[in-house]
Amino acid sequence: MSHQLLVADVLARVEEVRETTVELRRDLHAHPELGWHEVRTTEVLERVLTDAGLSPRVLPTGTGLICDIGSGDSCVALRADIDALPVPDGVEAPWRSTSEGVAHACGHDIHTAGLVGAALVLAGMARDGALDRRVRLIFQPAEEKMPGGALGVIAAGGLDTVRRIYGVHCDPRLQVGQVGLRVGALTAAADRILVRLSGPGGHTSRPHLTGDLVYALATLVTELPAALSRRVDPRAGMSLVWGRITSGSAANAIPSRGEAEGTLRCLDVDAWRQAADLIPTLANQLVAPYGIQVDTEVTHGVPPVMNDATAIDVLRSAAQQTLGAGAIAPTDQSLGGEDFAWYLEHVPGAMARLGVRPPTLDTTGDLHTPTFDPSEESISLATTLLTSAALLD
């Protein structure tokens, strides 16, 4: 089969499964599940894959699946994440979330439906004797949980015999039909920072007789990011941003407990690894003058996604041949974290950014917000890109 006939065959097969993948995406979007609780999602995926004549196996964690198609000593892996976020669904649609306060606000339903489409296409090719390789599908749970469900997949042997791995991620900045590709770091390392302060407490009229915990907490949350900027090479791109600060219950009482929680993101791997020691040291120094005790937890989340040059070449070729030369778009490194990075610590691979913004709109809403509303046209494009990458690798 010539290269052009292969492309035509892929596009025809993708069109055949388009309606199925859109319906699946709408079902998943209406029934989102948080990380490690994707029970229904896993059951739905297992049923769809089994009905296609495949033999998926549920991961030992109880959610998520791995499924091989074809035969061969080694394989290419295609990965999608299946979990949702604790974010309300603000998009009015017949398939809006039926789970209060939970939504697919990061597009994992798009990723999953796109990979199911690839599964159906590849399964059809295998039945027709047109698949000359083995492809592994990884439907991964808990991407939104630190340090990420990818580690569970790896522990379960999900990368055994895998020579390269590919994935896609929705990008609301790119128009539908565009694919963002970048060699090297695509995302940043990301950690969770939790600082707990404790002191004797007291009356706000006598702060000098106790430890002024709220003042110490305020000092810490404002000064720790600044202190980091003077202790770390600025080229490392380290950023500490707080998302939660809690303390106290009365206006005239100095509390005895307080917490600050946030994320640390970094573009440099060495600086990221040093942060676990540097942040507790700086936190102690900042609150020491106020007689307050501090306990700091640095939970390593994920390293940066480091896209392999060869894998990017495969994705570029796949996009150009099936979506057109104009599909390739430049993309910048993001400070967002993505646990696809754990796979790339073991095998080479790459993640592409998938355009999901309709041409008629300036925005689809940002990731992780209630208004995120990706175009469903992107599902077939994800299917096309993933399938083609697996066939061209």
Side-chain angles (χ1 to χ4, degrees), residues 49-347:
L49 296 173
T50 301
D51 288 347
L54 301 175
S55 301
R57 60 183 177 92
V58 178
L59 291 166
T61 52
T63 61
L65 310 99
I66 293 177
C67 183
D68 283 8
I69 305 175
S71 61
D73 294 335
S74 66
C75 64
V76 172
L78 306 176
R79 174 269 203 176
D81 33 18
I82 67 175
D83 57 323
L85 282 162
V87 173
D89 193 347
V91 177
E92 292 298 331
W95 51 87
R96 77 189 307 269
S97 173
T98 58
S99 300
E100 187 68 29
V102 182
H104 273 292
C106 199
H108 293 187
D109 52 340
I110 297 287
H111 306 165
T112 299
L115 184 55
V116 167
L120 299 178
V121 169
L122 292 167
M125 294 183 73
R127 286 194 300 271
D128 296 340
L131 185 66
D132 62 353
R133 63 197 61 209
R134 182 161 59 96
V135 180
R136 176 165 299 162
L137 314 172
I138 298 174
F139 294 92
Q140 180 210 300
E143 188 276 329
E144 299 291 351
K145 300 288 188 180
M146 286 190 178
L151 293 176
V153 174
I154 295 168
L159 291 184
D160 292 354
T161 71
V162 170
R163 67 173 184 273
R164 206 150 18 240
I165 186 168
Y166 297 94
V168 297
H169 197 294
C170 291
D171 188 341
R173 298 166 300 178
L174 294 179
Q175 184 174 301
V176 171
Q178 290 184 309
V179 176
L181 299 178
R182 178 188 180 92
V183 175
L186 182 71
T187 63
D191 293 338
R192 183 177 69 95
I193 310 298
L194 175 60
V195 182
R196 296 187 181 92
L197 272 60
S198 60
H203 201 290
T204 55
S205 66
R206 295 180 287 275
H208 58 293
L209 299 182
T210 185
D212 192 342
L213 186 134
V214 172
Y215 193 92
L217 183 58
T219 299
L220 184 139
V221 299
T222 55
E223 294 299 327
L224 186 53
L228 274 174
S229 72
R230 293 302 180 267
R231 293 291 299 275
V232 175
D233 189 330
R235 293 172 296 180
M238 185 173 285
S239 173
L240 173 59
V241 178
W242 305 106
R244 181 180 68 86
I245 303 171
T246 58
S247 185
S249 58
N252 62 348
I254 296 174
S256 59
R257 296 284 187 273
E259 290 186 350
E261 189 173 21
T263 58
L264 178 79
R265 301 176 188 275
C266 188
L267 304 180
D268 182 84
V269 174
D270 291 334
W272 170 61
R273 288 172 175 153
Q274 295 166 4
D277 294 326
L278 182 57
I279 287 179
T281 298
L282 292 174
N284 276 282
Q285 292 172 350
L286 288 168
V287 304
Y290 308 105
I292 297 297
Q293 300 298 311
V294 59
D295 176 51
T296 305
E297 291 182 13
V298 179
T299 302
H300 272 320
V302 293
V305 169
M306 299 294 293
N307 281 342
D308 173 68
T310 299
I312 287 293
D313 284 343
V314 171
L315 287 171
R316 181 177 292 108
S317 179
Q320 289 174 338
Q321 293 184 46
T322 58
L323 306 180
I328 308 300
T331 188
D332 296 326
Q333 186 178 9
S334 165
L335 282 179
E338 164 61 66
D339 81 343
F340 188 78
W342 290 121
Y343 299 119
L344 302 183
E345 295 270 294
H346 296 268
V347 297

